[in-house]
């Protein structure tokens, strides 16, 4: 039998110490709050995932070597992490998986990554700076020593890199810079568009919005990432590089568009520059028509079905009025279905002829549009990456087509899942575009369909799937 003193002690203990269950609940709640705060912190960091890129580094003109779209993405990811780690570090180390994600590499093939790193190390650039009346010229590599450390199974790989000392501080802590969002930059599908996006962001707030004025050779090297260009045919350069890039900018960039300005001597174009034009905020009336500004993926698929390769179909789409292209495709498809006439020998050539002559049903087969100028054949690693990009684009188009066939309830469920899973991680401008325009937003819709494709076909594409995909493109 317990004494009154013992009972009193128990009562005092009950008043001063909470039950064990309450302590455990409080501990779990505290841990949950910490995890929530950390998740919000990480989401905010990802949403503002931007690199402050030195203005001199935007229009890099290689003097030796070459740059690709993927190498530019990787370089921006390197800069992003280096700036977070600080200018005082002689080298920078991050988990390899983190760099791959931030570069939107879409592959865990480290040999392919190494190939692009070698290209950057082999690329020589010239860096011009001025201070007061003094001028300084520096010739250096784009990237210094790089190490990939693979400790073994079950342990995370890391990547360490350096910059050439003469330009390290200017890259990591630039005095004059442009803020480039990695998410939006990664949306660009051509090297020229990626350069012009960064250039547009730089000159968006400048008086007149005019970029530098340079000769054709300078622009051709800057917009292609190539150092071996010694002659430029302006008509082809404008058609197959500049126009395509400007359409990409107009389609994927929410804040501005760009227009080409030609400077002629007589009838010959000798120099060009660009004007950056801020886009007005979308009105309620404009939102109803915003879908017409989205890349019509189904139209590109119809061009491919006629016989063009995906890259050629995308180029054709980029430089052709959409209405004219749709009318020509309709005509070619009707002609192919006409059993009373002989089968077309080359539907692709017939489509090009239809576009060239702008006829609506009374043209003869033959003729062709000029083909793009010959470029050096890309290496195996670059072609593999291009194939992966085509695969990703193809699956996004497939996901879009399947989404459009879904009942309204299923579409709403997919959108709800996207907003719960992906929206918190999106860059702020893309998240705002989604909240404002939803599926009709140009740049946000592209992100949505890429997410949907990943949701429908999870995991990395296998070599066998890539081979089958490549063979189907050639068929």
């Amino acid at each position: 039998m317990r004494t009154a003193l013992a009972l009193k002690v128990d009562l005092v203990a009950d008043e001063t110490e909470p039950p064990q269950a309450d302590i455990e609940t409080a501990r779990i709640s505290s841990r949950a709050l910490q995890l929530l705060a950390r998740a919000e912190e990480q989401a905010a960091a990802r949403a503002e995932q931007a690199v402050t890129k030195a203005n001199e580094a935007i229009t890099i003109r290689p003097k030796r070597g070459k740059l690709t779209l993927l190498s530019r993405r990787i370089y921006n990811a390197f800069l992003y992490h280096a700036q977070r780690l600080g200018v005082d570090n002689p080298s920078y180390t991050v988990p390899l998986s983190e760099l791959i994600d931030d570069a939107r590499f879409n592959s865990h093939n480290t040999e392919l990554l190494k190939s692009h790193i070698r290209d950057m190390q082999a690329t020589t650039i010239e860096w011009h700076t001025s201070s007061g009346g003094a001028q300084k010229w520096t010739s250096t590599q784009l990237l210094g020593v790089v190490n990939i450390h693979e400790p073994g199974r079950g342990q995370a790989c890391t990547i360490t890199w350096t910059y050439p000392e003469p330009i390290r501080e200017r890259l990591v802590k630039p005095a004059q810079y442009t803020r480039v969002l990695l998410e939006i930059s990664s949306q660009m599908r051509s090297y020229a568009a990626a350069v012009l996006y960064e250039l547009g962001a730089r000159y968006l707030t400048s008086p007149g919005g005019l970029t530098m004025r340079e000769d054709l050779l300078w622009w051709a090297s800057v917009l292609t990432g190539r150092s071996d260009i010694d002659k430029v045919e302006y008509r082809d350069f404008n058609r197959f590089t500049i126009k395509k890039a400007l359409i990409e900018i107009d389609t994927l960039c929410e804040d501005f568009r760009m227009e080409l300005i030609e400077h002629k001597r007589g009838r010959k174009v000798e120099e060009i520059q660009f004007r950056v034009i801020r886009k007005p905020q979308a009105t309620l009336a404009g939102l109803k028509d915003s879908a017409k500004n989205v890349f019509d993926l189904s139209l590109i698929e119809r061009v491919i079905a006629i016989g063009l390769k995906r890259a050629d179909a995308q180029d054709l789409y980029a430089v052709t009025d959409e209405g004219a292209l749709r009318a020509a495709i309709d005509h070619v498809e009707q002609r192919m279905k006409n059993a009373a006439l002989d089968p077309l020998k080359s539907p692709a050539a017939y489509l090009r002829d239809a576009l060239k002559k702008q006829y609506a049903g009374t043209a003869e087969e033959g003729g062709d549009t000029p083909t793009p100028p010959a470029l050096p054949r890309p290496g195996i690693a670059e072609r593999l990456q291009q194939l992966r990009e085509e695969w990703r684009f193809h699956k996004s188009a497939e996901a879009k087509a399947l989404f459009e066939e879904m009942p309204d309830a299923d579409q709403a469920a997919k959108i709800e899942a996207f907003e719960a899973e992906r929206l918190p991680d999106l860059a702020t401008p893309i998240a705002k575009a989604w909240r404002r325009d939803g599926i009709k937003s140009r740049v946000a819709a592209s992100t949505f369909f890429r997410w949907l494709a990943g949701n429908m076909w999870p995991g990395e594409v296998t070599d066998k799937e890539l081979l089958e995909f490549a063979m189907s493109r050639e068929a």
Side-chain angles (χ1 to χ4, degrees):
M1 187 173 178
R2 307 186 69 185
T3 63
L5 180 59
L7 289 171
K8 186 175 181 181
V9 170
D10 286 346
L11 288 172
V12 171
D14 287 343
E15 290 175 1
T16 57
E17 297 182 12
Q20 186 64 33
D22 290 345
I23 294 173
E24 189 62 29
T25 300
R27 186 181 293 119
I28 292 171
S29 298
S30 174
R31 176 61 176 160
L33 287 173
Q34 288 175 2
L35 290 173
L36 181 61
R38 185 179 176 186
E40 289 176 348
E41 224 173 81
Q42 291 173 340
R46 285 191 296 268
E48 293 301 329
Q49 204 175 35
V51 57
T52 52
K53 194 164 185 178
N55 289 339
E56 302 94 327
I58 290 175
T59 51
I60 293 175
R61 183 185 179 187
K63 289 297 182 179
R64 185 178 301 165
K66 65 174 182 176
L67 295 172
T68 65
L69 178 61
L70 183 55
S71 62
R72 195 175 185 94
R73 289 181 191 170
I74 295 169
Y75 198 71
N76 283 350
F78 274 143
L79 282 177
Y80 168 72
H81 285 286
Q83 289 169 1
R84 292 180 68 194
L85 294 169
V87 70
D88 295 331
N89 293 313
S91 64
Y92 308 92
T93 301
V94 297
L96 182 60
S97 60
E98 198 171 326
L99 180 86
I100 286 173
D101 287 344
D102 292 336
R104 279 59 173 178
F105 189 52
N106 302 311
S107 171
H108 293 285
N109 182 348
T110 55
E111 288 305 316
L112 183 57
L113 177 65
K114 291 173 186 175
S115 173
H116 285 278
I117 289 173
R118 290 188 200 102
D119 284 345
M120 286 186 277
Q121 289 175 319
T123 300
T124 304
I125 61 168
E126 294 181 356
W127 194 287
H128 298 268
T129 54
S130 59
S131 179
Q135 301 285 330
K136 186 176 182 180
W137 172 81
T138 303
S139 177
T140 182
Q141 292 173 288
L142 193 61
L143 194 64
V145 176
V146 179
N147 291 307
I148 295 178
H149 182 53
E150 303 177 53
R153 188 171 181 179
Q155 300 182 63
C157 299
T158 58
I159 185 167
T160 301
W161 70 97
T162 63
Y163 295 106
E165 195 56 36
I167 62 171
R168 180 175 62 85
E169 186 170 347
R170 297 174 193 171
L171 288 171
V172 181
K173 193 179 180 181
Q176 295 179 316
Y177 60 83
T178 298
R179 191 167 177 270
V180 176
L181 288 166
L182 298 186
E183 179 69 22
I184 295 180
S185 179
S186 72
Q187 301 274 354
M188 303 302 160
R189 294 198 296 271
S190 69
Y191 185 87
V195 175
L196 287 181
Y197 162 67
E198 294 180 12
L199 203 58
R202 174 183 175 183
Y203 286 98
L204 179 60
T205 56
S206 67
L210 292 174
T211 70
M212 66 282 286
R213 173 178 168 176
E214 298 286 351
D215 62 67
L216 297 181
L217 203 59
W218 187 92
W219 279 110
S221 180
V222 166
L223 294 182
T224 62
R226 289 171 50 195
S227 62
D228 60 345
I229 299 175
D230 53 17
K231 184 180 179 181
V232 179
E233 177 58 52
Y234 177 67
R235 182 181 176 185
D236 292 337
F237 177 50
N238 183 24
R239 181 174 186 182
F240 297 111
T241 301
I242 296 174
K243 284 185 177 180
K244 175 183 175 182
L246 291 179
I247 290 175
E248 276 192 53
I249 295 291
D250 189 34
T251 303
L252 297 172
C253 184
E254 299 278 345
D255 298 324
F256 61 84
R257 63 183 179 86
M258 300 177 74
E259 63 179 26
L260 173 67
I261 298 174
E262 300 175 339
H263 297 277
K264 298 181 178 180
R265 178 174 293 178
R267 298 179 63 182
K268 184 181 179 182
V269 176
E270 293 196 342
E271 297 178 329
I272 60 172
Q273 65 185 143
F274 297 88
R275 178 180 286 114
V276 186
I277 303 168
R278 187 182 293 276
K279 287 182 177 179
Q281 291 295 317
T283 62
L284 289 176
L287 293 181
K288 296 178 181 178
D289 298 327
S290 62
K292 68 185 180 183
N293 294 320
V294 179
F295 271 116
D296 190 338
L297 302 181
S298 62
L299 201 61
I300 294 176
E301 293 300 323
R302 289 172 67 190
V303 175
I304 293 170
I306 285 174
L308 274 74
K309 294 180 180 179
R310 178 170 296 279
D312 294 336
Q314 290 173 354
D315 287 349
L316 188 65
Y317 180 91
V319 300
T320 308
D321 176 79
E322 190 170 297
L325 180 59
R326 182 174 284 105
I329 292 171
D330 289 342
H331 171 73
V332 175
E333 289 175 341
Q334 290 173 6
R335 171 65 178 81
M336 291 170 70
K337 292 176 183 176
N338 193 335
L341 299 174
D342 293 334
L344 292 175
K345 295 178 181 177
S346 174
Y350 191 73
L351 172 64
R352 290 184 183 276
D353 198 57
L355 287 169
K356 179 180 178 181
K357 297 177 180 177
Q358 297 185 3
Y359 54 74
T362 58
E364 297 177 359
E365 182 181 352
D368 204 351
T369 53
T371 56
L375 297 177
R377 186 172 177 81
I380 293 176
E382 191 174 338
R383 278 183 283 167
L384 273 174
Q385 180 58 25
Q386 289 173 354
L387 188 58
R388 288 181 184 277
E389 292 281 347
E390 286 188 28
W391 165 271
R392 193 177 115 194
F393 185 83
H394 172 73
K395 300 311 284 187
S396 294
E398 209 171 318
K400 180 178 184 292
L402 291 173
F403 177 81
E404 290 173 346
E405 294 174 359
M406 293 179 185
D408 291 346
D410 290 348
Q411 288 186 351
K414 293 295 184 186
I415 289 173
E416 185 179 351
F418 169 75
E419 291 178 344
E421 181 181 325
R422 188 76 177 88
L423 192 59
D425 297 341
L426 292 182
T428 301
I430 298 178
K432 286 181 179 177
W434 177 266
R435 293 188 181 101
R436 185 184 66 235
D437 302 346
I439 202 72
K440 290 185 177 181
S441 164
R442 292 181 292 264
V443 66
S446 177
T447 300
F448 171 74
F449 289 121
R450 283 208 314 274
W451 168 85
L452 185 60
N455 190 271
M456 289 179 163
W457 300 282
E460 188 176 351
V461 56
T462 65
D463 291 343
K464 181 182 177 183
E465 288 172 325
L466 270 183
L467 178 60
E468 290 173 349
F469 175 69
M471 291 175 68
S472 71
R473 297 295 100 184
E474 297 291 338

